[in-house]
DNA sequence: CTGAAAGCGCTTACAG
DNA sequence: CTGAAAGCGCTTACAG
């Protein structure tokens, strides 16, 4: 039911080699004009497309790129969907397919996590890692094995793996600074999770801003919301129940910032009157919230594009101008922080 | 650098056939205990993983499923990201990989759209189509060719293609009805685009609700926002500039509904005081907007799961209990519609 | 139990 | 120009 080179060759009265040459437009000078036209006609008539699997087996190239996120459900978070979108747009233009894989392991220990399996099985030509959940050891091992690999918003100390980074320390430093300038001193840092390097870096930025203003660091003001709306709400509600005082929140993600605003409103606490809130990532719908959310803007689609361009260069064995590209978030002020002096 | 069956066979002192049997745990009764253990030890020691490409060439199975959206950028819309997430979670559990493909064609006419190419090249075992952009003719052709195929929120008249549908007519009927019950009679329908069947069905539901209440249909109240924030804002602003009167909006998507609210607020028009607004899809962050957005809720992740289960059954040549599964949206009332009687 | 051999659908050096 | 043949790394009937 499906044709092969053999069929095309037979119908065209040429050899399989000639069919291959015509299809790949390779060594075409070795093919007679007449034969070439004949083959092309047959291909067109039968609407023939080569079997990519067979080609891959010979060429060792699949034109598939794996993009790894923690759980495939993470694609719902605008952070990931924007980065993935940026990656996709570049890959597509270059004839590559995008495979979504997860980094969390299966329950059964012998099974490789999906993202490793994709590499080991030679399913893909390269890997873009968006997740912090992939273990350092595995990642370094891939890198050492020369697997084309790009890290996004993640680095591993002591290794110069090609990566697209976000200046997380600067990001939360700036966010915290902005809150301090509004007169706020009791600032909550709603992290995703401190087991992640990105949040440890953000925590450092937060601490740095505090210490520069001689504000003591209070560990109990650091919460973990796991980048989820419900988890962030719960964490903040717990803090509220403890009667812990605070008058600002810097969140590691807009979704968590919105969760905080919602939790505060529910308690009748005014934002930004009583508490200023600032998010991170500046996702599209943030201006729609009430109050509109201040946030640290990042060109997430651009970050994805950069990562895609890098992986393609690695695959093509081209030199990277820079092995590490860093983006710095930009403060976008809206209503949720309030204006300077609005504080008691 | 990478091992093959041949290497394993040599190191284990057995034949390639035996290696294959051990790896696939197939016909194991034909393999001596000793040899089996030897082979297993070598595989473990070398951390060997079979080349999936070679296997696919023989078995004609790739364990890849293509999920098609219009543009890969569409993954940013929560509607798609949730459906994709549902699909992903099922595929992953069943050992399948998910490939994201687009349905929009390339500029150059000879090129097949990516989603067709994936099928033609035998890159994937099946296709889940989330987009309306793929032409009916191509889709029907795939179906006739017995390509495992599932449509989501889309159908083609006269064809019984396996699909997961949304009762769009009922959805907009209910939304419009709710607005009418609030006393609103000049209701805007913000469609995505009427070239889409889903929006034509929604338009029908809208019209039906109007006519049941003896409200004349006014074509100039039907707008197209292309499911994008900016396009929807622009369309509504144009209507406002025309001084067209209306006191309610039913939108085909939450993002467009939020765009409308934002545009209205900018003009100092109160929601729901002056204009009631209701969205569609009930995406996660909708309760955070101000006013909180009423919407038509759909189990989008569940819809994705259903589609994934269907495609796997088709691939395994199992019977589908139902070739067509339909989900009906549920009205979730929040602030943006306002309470009954709140209308002048 | 065991494995040699054919074959999946391509690519490519090689000989003419 | 042209194509026979080997080979990519697997699976699987088939013979012993």
């Amino acid at each position: 039911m499906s044709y092969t080179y053999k069929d095309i060759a037979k119908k065209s009265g040429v050899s399989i080699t000639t069919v291959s040459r015509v299809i790949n437009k390779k060594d075409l000078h070795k093919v007679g004009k007449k034969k070439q036209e004949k083959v092309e006609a047959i291909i067109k008539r039968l609407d023939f497309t080569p079997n990519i699997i067979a080609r891959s087996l010979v060429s060792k190239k699949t034109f598939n790129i794996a993009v790894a996120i923690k759980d495939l459900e993470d694609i719902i978070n605008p952070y990931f969907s924007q980065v993935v979108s940026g990656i996709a747009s570049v890959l597509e233009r270059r004839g590559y397919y995008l495979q979504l894989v997860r980094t969390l392991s299966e329950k059964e220990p012998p099974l490789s996590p999906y993202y490793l399996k994709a590499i080991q099985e030679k399913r893909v030509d390269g890997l873009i890692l968006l997740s912090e959940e992939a273990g350092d050891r595995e990642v370094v091992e891939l890198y050492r094995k020369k697997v084309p690999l790009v890290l996004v918003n993640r680095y591993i100390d002591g290794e110069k793996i090609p990566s697209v980074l976000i200046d997380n320390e600067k990001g939360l430093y700036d966010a915290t600074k902005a809150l301090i300038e509004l007169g706020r001193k009791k600032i909550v840092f709603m992290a995703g999770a401190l087991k992640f390097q990105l949040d440890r870096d953000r925590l450092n930025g937060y601490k740095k801003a505090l210490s520069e203003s001689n504000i003591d660091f209070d560990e109990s003001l650091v919460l973990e919301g796991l980048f989820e709306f419900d988890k962030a709400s719960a964490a903040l509600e717990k803090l509220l129940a403890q009667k812990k005082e605070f008058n600002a929140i810097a969140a590691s993600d807009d979704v968590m910032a919105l969760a905080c605003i919602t939790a505060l409103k529910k308690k009748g606490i005014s934002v930004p009157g009583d508490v200023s809130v600032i998010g991170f990532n500046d996702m599209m719908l943030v201006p729609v919230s009430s109050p509109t959310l201040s946030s640290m803007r990042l060109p997430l689609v651009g970050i994805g594009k950069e990562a895609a361009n890098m992986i393609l260069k690695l695959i093509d064995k081209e030199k990277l101008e820079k092995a590490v590209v860093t983006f710095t978030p930009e403060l976008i002020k809206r209503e949720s922080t309030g204006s300077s002096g609005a504080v008691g």
Side-chain angles (χ1 to χ4, degrees), chain A residues 3-20:
Chain A
Y3 299 108
T4 69
Y5 279 22
K6 206 167 152 188
D7 302 314
I8 307 297
K10 192 171 299 171
K11 288 182 198 281
S12 313
V14 301
S15 73
I16 285 175
T17 308
T18 298
V19 172
S20 175

Side-chain angles (χ1 to χ4, degrees), chain A residues 229-266:
Chain A
F229 192 93
D230 294 340
K231 302 251 168 63
S233 305
L236 191 70
E237 278 161 9
K238 200 172 146 198
L239 194 75
L240 286 166
Q242 290 166 200
K243 307 282 184 205
K244 188 80 194 174
E245 272 190 58
F246 60 90
N247 52 22
I249 302 174
S252 219
D253 184 80
D254 289 334
V255 171
M256 295 196 295
L258 292 174
C260 289
I261 289 180
T262 307
L264 291 169
K265 277 190 192 167
K266 218 190 297 176

Side-chain angles (χ1 to χ4, degrees), chain A residues 7-244:
Chain A
D7 302 314
I8 307 297
K10 192 171 299 171
K11 288 182 198 281
S12 313
V14 301
S15 73
I16 285 175
T17 308
T18 298
V19 172
S20 175
R21 282 174 180 140
V22 172
I23 285 180
N24 295 299
K25 303 197 194 315
K26 201 182 169 183
D27 295 333
L28 263 189
H29 57 97
K30 294 187 180 170
V31 178
K33 208 70 195 156
K34 276 267 155 49
K35 298 209 174 197
Q36 177 180 343
E37 279 161 11
K38 179 71 182 164
V39 171
E40 282 168 349
I42 301 280
I43 286 170
K44 184 147 198 178
R45 179 154 67 78
L46 300 183
D47 192 22
F48 173 75
T49 314
N51 180 315
I52 198 75
I53 301 292
R55 179 177 289 173
S56 291
L57 182 58
V58 181
S59 68
K60 307 294 178 207
K61 220 166 144 19
T62 63
F63 286 93
N64 275 155
I65 302 289
V67 174
I69 54 187
K70 170 165 60 61
D71 247 323
L72 295 186
E73 284 77 3
D74 284 343
I75 195 69
I76 289 175
N77 187 308
Y79 168 79
F80 289 112
S81 63
Q82 285 188 67
V83 176
V84 168
S85 161
I87 294 171
S89 73
V90 170
L91 293 189
E92 175 172 85
R93 203 162 305 139
R94 299 279 300 273
Y96 280 77
Y97 287 79
L98 184 161
Q99 225 160 59
L100 224 46
V101 297
R102 72 190 316 226
T103 54
L104 277 189
S105 303
E106 298 296 322
K107 304 290 170 287
E108 303 106 300
L111 287 184
S112 290
Y114 244 50
Y115 79 104
L116 282 181
K117 219 174 133 206
I119 295 283
Q120 291 164 339
E121 294 182 342
K122 313 237 182 315
R123 222 174 240 291
V124 297
D125 296 337
L127 171 68
I128 297 177
L129 197 62
L130 304 188
S131 161
E132 296 246 6
E133 289 284 350
D136 284 6
R137 197 172 48 76
E138 286 80 3
V139 173
V140 169
E141 194 179 321
L142 288 179
Y143 175 62
R144 298 246 167 92
K145 280 187 182 162
K146 311 279 182 212
V147 172
L149 171 69
V150 172
L151 306 183
V152 174
N153 198 12
R154 154 148 195 200
Y155 58 89
I156 295 174
D157 282 324
E159 304 286 338
K160 53 202 179 324
I161 304 178
S163 39
V164 182
L165 299 183
I166 290 168
D167 192 340
N168 289 307
E169 183 172 324
K170 180 76 163 47
L172 225 78
Y173 172 86
D174 287 347
T176 307
K177 198 87 185 167
L179 293 169
I180 292 172
E181 280 165 10
L182 288 165
R184 309 280 165 158
K185 300 195 167 180
K186 295 171 187 155
I187 303 172
V188 169
F189 171 40
M190 174 67 77
L194 293 172
K195 65 175 170 177
F196 298 146
Q197 185 65 254
L198 71 93
D199 268 326
R200 289 198 300 271
D201 290 345
R202 288 179 190 178
L203 179 63
N204 284 339
Y206 165 82
K207 283 179 173 174
K208 196 171 149 198
L210 293 182
S211 94
E212 281 186 8
S213 297
N214 298 310
I215 302 171
D216 285 340
F217 170 64
D218 178 352
E219 200 176 355
S220 65
L221 289 180
V222 177
L223 308 181
E224 296 193 336
L226 297 173
F227 300 104
E228 288 178 30
F229 192 93
D230 294 340
K231 302 251 168 63
S233 305
L236 191 70
E237 278 161 9
K238 200 172 146 198
L239 194 75
L240 286 166
Q242 290 166 200
K243 307 282 184 205
K244 188 80 194 174

